[in-house]
Amino acid sequence: MLKFTEEHEWLQIEAGVATVGITTYAVEQLGDLVFVELPEVGATFGKNDNAATVESVKAASDVYCPLAGEITEVNPAIVADPSLVNSDPQGAGWFFKLKLANAADADGLLDEAAYKELTA
């Protein structure tokens, strides 16, 4: 299940674990990323808590935790090479995996059609 937030994060949810990243739209707004800071594995976050930071040639921006849960994995490849987020934001440029506190909360997020309408 693919979901989106109004803050331009995407979530691919499988078996109660969400892979989270920022959308192509967010990357286009930020420009070339030069730095990514990720959360620690095992950290827990509430919905909309600041979970990661990105810096581009234009600005620094927070990446929010789209739902409450625990970080189970992070993507070290994007720390080593932030341009991966620019080249493949909804693939190899994922940020972290989040074990959802309540998977049903994802029902309140945007589907792809609603997100496209938001960014049109």
Side-chain angles (χ1 to χ4, degrees):
M1 172 185 356
L2 189 62
K3 292 289 192 172
F4 298 86
T5 70
E6 292 182 5
E7 291 76 31
H8 310 292
E9 289 98 18
W10 60 265
L11 299 82
Q12 178 68 48
I13 303 169
E14 294 177 29
V17 176
T19 301
V20 179
I22 62 174
T23 64
T24 301
Y25 177 85
V27 168
E28 289 168 355
Q29 299 306 304
L30 288 167
D32 292 335
L33 295 186
V34 295
F35 175 79
V36 176
E37 182 179 69
L38 296 173
E40 296 288 323
V41 171
T44 57
F45 292 95
K47 182 178 179 177
N48 295 327
D49 286 351
N50 178 7
T53 304
V54 294
E55 290 182 19
S56 71
V57 292
K58 293 182 182 178
S61 186
D62 293 328
V63 177
Y64 300 101
C65 196
L67 295 171
E70 178 183 347
I71 304 297
T72 60
E73 188 178 343
V74 295
N75 185 358
I78 65 170
V79 175
D81 184 5
S83 70
L84 279 175
V85 179
N86 291 100
S87 61
D88 192 8
Q90 290 180 227
W94 63 275
F95 278 58
F96 54 84
K97 294 191 179 189
L98 181 71
K99 183 177 181 192
L100 301 176
N102 183 359
D105 290 346
D107 295 342
L109 299 175
L110 303 172
D111 62 16
E112 194 163 4
Y115 183 73
K116 283 183 177 176
E117 196 172 296
L118 174 74
T119 58

